[in-house]
């Protein structure tokens, strides 16, 4: 079938893509520091005769491939992330990280190799009418590289009609594709609440305003936002990841302040706003009730990743042609994790999908120190990207 021929063609250079992926794995770089990685990507694209633009979003790289026809004026964007994580690798194979404390623990090495594979196929065949824009993005892991590229004019220069990205997914079998015609990943917010009381002697608490007691009441109350304020048919998570007050060596010192830091995950903007409002109300009112004061710092880190239904359906249709309907999940359950492709999806329609990778059953999950991208799935990822460009910009018969 049509979509399968891309897969067959890309399989012919699977070994080279695997070698590239392993080389990137051995040389991980943090967000906005992908100097070597972006250099290799740019070099490979240039060797394929692809027009390359660098420095969009610091270490970002954009490749531009014009099809056999360009009269449609269409433009499809395909995005891969390139950054690694600040974590130590516990693998032992020959392509393990050569940099202590740095690791491709999320498989972005695989995503980069996949997009290079798609580029190689598209540059050779050019079976489309329009422009394919290859977006190699820096700094997906918490540093907002997608936003940096947008702020540098990515979509002003390349006003894509649709954009696509994928992420490997250990919870899906290799050879499968998962997508959802709506939410894929949650919005990720960070909050920090500082409660100011009045310190003093633990034996004389009546002379103090104890911020630890206030924090205890507030923690319990914050959990009622999800259980009592969020509509049960909507989703929200509120987790406190850090709580600090006083000193473990000072049993009889009531500290002056207590601080908690946590995250809120939501899909709908209205729910996100409500959680923030309720958090501020509870922190202020509960602190006030005990004579303390609270300061709430609430930051919106990544928005929710929301697919446009028609583009998610196209992903599922192409995947069905490529791997059969038994290997395609069209209504994948969204994850409460987050993804900065969401910034791009706020600008242009498109879809983010998951590429089955396997390994979850043996603990080889994302951000685990034993993780390694499954090279077997590279051609399918490349072929999905290639077919999305061809299908989104068909040549006239
Ligand atoms: Zn990650
Ligand atoms: Zn990732």
């Amino acid at each position: 079938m049509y979509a399968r021929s891309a897969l067959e063609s890309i399989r012919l250079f699977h070994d080279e893509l695997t070698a590239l992926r392993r080389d990137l794995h051995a040389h991980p770089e943090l967000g906005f520091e992908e100097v070597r990685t972006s250099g290799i990507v740019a070099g490979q694209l240039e060797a394929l005769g692809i027009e390359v633009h660098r420095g969009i979003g610091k270490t970002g790289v954009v490749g531009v491939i014009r099809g056999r026809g360009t009269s449609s004026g269409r433009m499809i964007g395909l995005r891969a992330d390139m950054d690694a994580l600040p974590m130590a690798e516990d693998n032992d194979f020959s392509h393990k990280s050569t940099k202590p404390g740095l690791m491709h623990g999320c498989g972005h090495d695989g995503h980069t190799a996949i997009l290079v594979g798609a580029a190689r196929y598209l540059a050779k065949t050019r079976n489309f009418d329009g422009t394919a824009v290859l977006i190699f993005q820096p700094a997906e892991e918490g540093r907002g590289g997608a936003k940096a590229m947008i702020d540098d004019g990515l979509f002003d220069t390349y006003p894509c009609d649709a954009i696509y990205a994928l992420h490997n997914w250990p919870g899906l079998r290799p050879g499968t594709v998962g997508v959802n015609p709506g939410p894929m990943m949650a919005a990720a917010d960070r909050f920090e609440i500082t409660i100011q009381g009045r310190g003093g002697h633990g034996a004389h608490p009546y002379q103090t305003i104890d911020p630890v007691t206030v924090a205890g009441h507030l923690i319990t109350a914050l959990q009622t936002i999800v259980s009592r304020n969020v509509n049960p048919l909507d989703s929200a998570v509120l987790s406190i990841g850090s709580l600090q007050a006083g000193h473990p060596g000072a049993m009889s010192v009531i500290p002056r302040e207590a601080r908690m830091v946590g995250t809120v995950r939501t899909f709908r903007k209205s729910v996100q706003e409500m959680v923030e409002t309720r958090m501020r109300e509870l922190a202020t009112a509960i602190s006030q009730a005990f004579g303390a004061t609270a300061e709430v710092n609430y930051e919106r880190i990544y928005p929710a990743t929301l697919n446009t239904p028609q583009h998610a359906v196209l992903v599922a249709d192409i995947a069905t042609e490529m791997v059969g309907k038994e290997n395609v999940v069209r209504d994948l359950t969204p994850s409460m994790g987050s993804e900065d492709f969401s910034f791009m999806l706020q600008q242009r329609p498109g879809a983010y999908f998951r590429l089955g990778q396997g390994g979850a059953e043996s603990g080889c999950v994302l951000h685990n120190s034993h993780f390694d991208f499954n090279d077997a799935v590279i051609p399918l990822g490349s072929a999905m990207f290639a077919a999305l460009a061809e299908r989104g910009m068909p040549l006239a018969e």
Side-chain angles (χ1 to χ4, degrees), residues 85 106 108 140-141 167 367:
L85 287 159
C106 204
H108 299 182
E140 191 283 324
E141 297 283 0
H167 205 294
H367 295 208

Side-chain angles (χ1 to χ4, degrees), residues 3-23:
R4 269 198 201 170
S5 73
L7 185 54
E8 295 309 321
S9 306
I10 291 164
R11 280 205 179 111
L12 299 176
F13 49 91
H14 189 178
D15 287 354
E16 288 160 73
L17 295 174
T18 298
L20 168 64
R21 203 287 296 177
R22 293 184 180 184
D23 176 69

Side-chain angles (χ1 to χ4, degrees), residues 151-171:
D151 292 345
D152 273 356
L154 175 67
F155 294 128
D156 303 320
T157 316
Y158 309 104
C160 300
D161 301 302
I163 50 169
Y164 298 94
L166 61 75
H167 205 294
N168 75 91
W169 206 247

